[in-house]
Amino acid sequence: MQVLRVVGGARLSGSVEVVGAKNSVLKLMAATLLAPGASTVGNLPAISDVTIMRQLLEGMGCGAQESRIDAVDRVTITVPDKLSPEAPYDLVRKIRGSICVLGPLIARTGRAKVALPGGDAIGTRPLDMHFAGLEKMGVDIRIEHGYVVADSTELRGANIWLDFPSVGATENIMTAAVLAKGTTVIDNAAREPEIVDLCQMLVSMGAQIDGIGSSTLEITGVEGLHATSHDAVPDRIVAGTWAMAALATRGDITVRGAKPEHLRILLDKVDQAGGVVETRVDGFRVSIDRRPKSFDVVTLPYPGLATDLQPQAIAALSVAEGTAMITENLFEARFMFCDEIARMGADVRTDGHHAVVRGREALSGAPVRATDIRAGVGLVIAGLVADGVTEVAEIHHIDRGYVRFEEQLRDLGADVERVESTTFGG
Ligand code: UD1
């Protein structure tokens, strides 16, 4: 089994580059289904989730061609007039985000058959709000043999209130509404930068959307959309991961290509911890030359602090001065990560959706398993501040969302290698 072998002790220093966000690119790629012709998505990260989304679209009859122009990776997706509206289980189970093809398929073909993604290591992730919204728009939805089967004879605008500002539900409803008859209003819509990015791409395809960036989106359906070219928003979660790595290792990292305005709360935590944040035209720099001070974390939908940054924050807090309270409001099962970091000597106790982290001077290297993408990078950060060797297993999770992660770490001075494990069995 391949693992990341981390030898702790380095103070990370230097500069890294952030490209397009996984959680945007997957949705942008799915949205190309809305218009026949060749659409291009740029600022593409070279991660395995993108490969799987590409295979999913190819299975529906699309062509996909990757290219690199002026050091920017892109994928051009050629969408046929007639799509095969089916997303099979073997691909959907690998990336839960593939459920985002549901809205575009219904809008384009009036039909979709998308495998139910199934369980996920960060907890149960129901789709009830996706379904309720689409049903209000006249879509008949049923579960048959593990698939979501959706049919609509006439997709029509509706007033939809979401119980919670779900990213996925907002996206599926929005991508169906752009081609529906009449106006759809989504209240309590998610406001993540990735939602704004998707709205902007849809507008560039000819969609009519008001309230972009607010919690009320008003979408007036149009007859048809046209192909486009759009660059994905930078990955704020990857950028925030580097900020936490700088804090934990008492380092100095410049993150190029990032948008600090998408990380306001996290960067404020860096400040509370005694770090220095320098905002630059093309990103930001985080540096700290002392042991970080503890800070509390409450995860919330954007503009709150992202749940996808919670494990990385816990990793930094595990070596901070003082005690921190973590409140996880989105995915409780994310705390599975705490059992792993505890194997490295971290003092973390959980109770329901709260965790208490008492900072230690240092951790102690151990074999640990990544339970999901963010847990994986959190454990690598912990390994960087641990005595001796840490082996992080199940690194396919990290490859789902981080481009050349260990190379970038090495560029910053870390001792990290991808090796065959001497500890974990096959
Ligand atoms: C997306 C991100 C994920 C991130 C999450 C929250 C992608 C591919 N994934 O996931 O990395 O952690 O946003 O920022 O973009 N919920 C329901 N019913 C529904 C839908 C959601 O109860 O129909 C609940 C979920 O269980 C969760 C909360 O709503 O507690 C938020 O989930 P949601 O925003 O939908 O997350 P995803 O779109 O799945």
Side-chain angles (χ1 to χ4, degrees):
M1 183 199 278
Q2 287 218 311
V3 294
L4 283 186
R5 183 178 186 277
V6 186
V7 183
R11 176 174 190 256
L12 297 192
S13 160
S15 140
V16 286
E17 173 120 38
V18 169
V19 290
K22 168 182 91 69
N23 286 353
S24 197
V25 163
L26 298 178
K27 326 301 173 63
L28 302 178
M29 289 173 75
T32 64
L33 292 171
L34 286 164
S39 283
T40 299
V41 176
N43 207 15
L44 201 71
I47 51 174
S48 60
D49 271 21
V50 165
T51 311
I52 294 162
M53 180 53 82
R54 180 188 158 152
Q55 290 166 352
L56 204 61
L57 298 179
E58 284 171 341
M60 292 172 190
C62 300
Q65 185 73 47
E66 282 180 33
S67 59
R68 190 175 171 81
I69 305 166
D70 297 334
V72 177
D73 289 321
R74 300 155 208 268
V75 63
T76 298
I77 297 159
T78 309
V79 180
D81 286 329
K82 202 168 159 19
L83 285 166
S84 155
E86 189 168 330
Y89 178 64
D90 62 333
L91 292 175
V92 172
R93 76 182 168 83
K94 292 185 188 154
I95 49 165
R96 215 197 127 81
S98 54
I99 194 71
C100 64
V101 297
L102 190 62
L105 284 179
I106 296 171
R108 262 303 295 289
T109 70
R111 184 173 167 76
K113 188 177 170 200
V114 180
L116 271 170
D120 194 300
I122 62 173
T124 46
R125 293 169 81 174
L127 296 170
D128 54 315
M129 287 189 266
H130 300 233
F131 298 163
L134 293 169
E135 276 168 350
K136 274 198 157 181
M137 298 175 72
V139 183
D140 173 56
I141 296 188
R142 47 202 193 277
I143 306 296
E144 280 177 6
H145 311 294
Y147 279 77
V148 182
V149 180
D151 283 293
S152 87
T153 40
E154 190 195 54
L155 199 58
R156 46 176 196 273
N159 288 331
I160 296 164
W161 294 267
L162 296 179
D163 291 347
F164 187 91
S166 153
V167 171
T170 303
E171 288 163 347
N172 264 329
I173 296 166
M174 203 163 74
T175 47
V178 286
L179 288 177
K181 201 168 175 187
T183 299
T184 299
V185 178
I186 313 176
D187 236 319
N188 200 20
R191 294 186 278 159
E192 270 67 4
E194 295 76 26
I195 300 267
V196 172
D197 202 24
L198 177 59
C199 286
Q200 285 167 347
M201 171 160 152
L202 294 171
V203 167
S204 78
M205 295 170 86
Q208 280 184 31
I209 308 177
D210 284 328
I212 296 177
S214 79
S215 54
T216 305
L217 291 170
E218 192 173 317
I219 303 147
T220 305
V222 294
E223 279 294 320
L225 297 174
H226 52 79
T228 192
S229 179
H230 180 87
D231 286 348
V233 68
D235 200 317
R236 65 195 163 100
I237 306 299
V238 172
T241 301
W242 292 121
M244 289 299 103
L247 210 57
T249 64
R250 306 182 198 184
D252 181 351
I253 303 181
T254 299
V255 187
R256 284 179 287 115
K259 286 192 187 291
E261 63 269 31
H262 292 166
L263 283 164
R264 281 211 180 103
I265 297 182
L266 188 86
L267 294 177
D268 186 55
K269 300 289 172 188
V270 170
D271 183 57
Q272 284 176 38
V276 177
V277 179
E278 191 189 308
T279 301
R280 301 162 60 111
V281 191
D282 66 337
F284 61 86
R285 175 180 173 192
V286 168
S287 60
I288 182 165
D289 54 12
R290 49 156 290 153
R291 185 177 175 199
K293 287 182 274 183
S294 276
F295 52 86
D296 292 338
V297 169
V298 179
T299 68
L300 280 172
Y302 190 83
L305 200 146
T307 171
D308 286 357
L309 285 167
Q310 181 248 89
Q312 302 89 314
I314 290 184
L317 290 166
S318 69
V319 289
E321 199 180 291
T323 299
M325 168 76 96
I326 317 295
T327 307
E328 172 54 60
N329 287 313
L330 283 95
F331 301 113
E332 265 178 36
R334 271 234 138 106
F335 283 152
M336 277 165 68
F337 159 79
C338 297
D339 293 336
E340 292 299 311
I341 197 170
R343 304 196 73 251
M344 303 174 70
D347 185 348
V348 188
R349 283 179 203 200
T350 61
D351 185 3
H353 67 122
H354 295 291
V356 173
V357 185
R358 292 187 179 86
R360 289 249 156 101
E361 279 282 346
L363 303 180
S364 143
V368 285
R369 282 180 192 275
T371 44
D372 71 77
I373 313 182
R374 314 303 170 187
V377 292
L379 291 168
V380 172
I381 294 175
L384 293 169
V385 290
D387 281 341
V389 176
T390 294
E391 279 196 2
V392 182
E394 312 282 358
I395 52 175
H396 58 94
H397 287 298
I398 296 178
D399 296 334
R400 286 190 48 204
Y402 287 78
V403 182
R404 301 187 307 106
F405 189 52
E406 68 267 26
E407 274 175 56
Q408 298 213 64
L409 281 167
R410 277 199 295 271
D411 289 348
L412 295 171
D415 184 348
V416 182
E417 269 183 305
R418 187 177 290 244
V419 295
E420 282 303 319
S421 171
T422 50
T423 315
F424 290 96

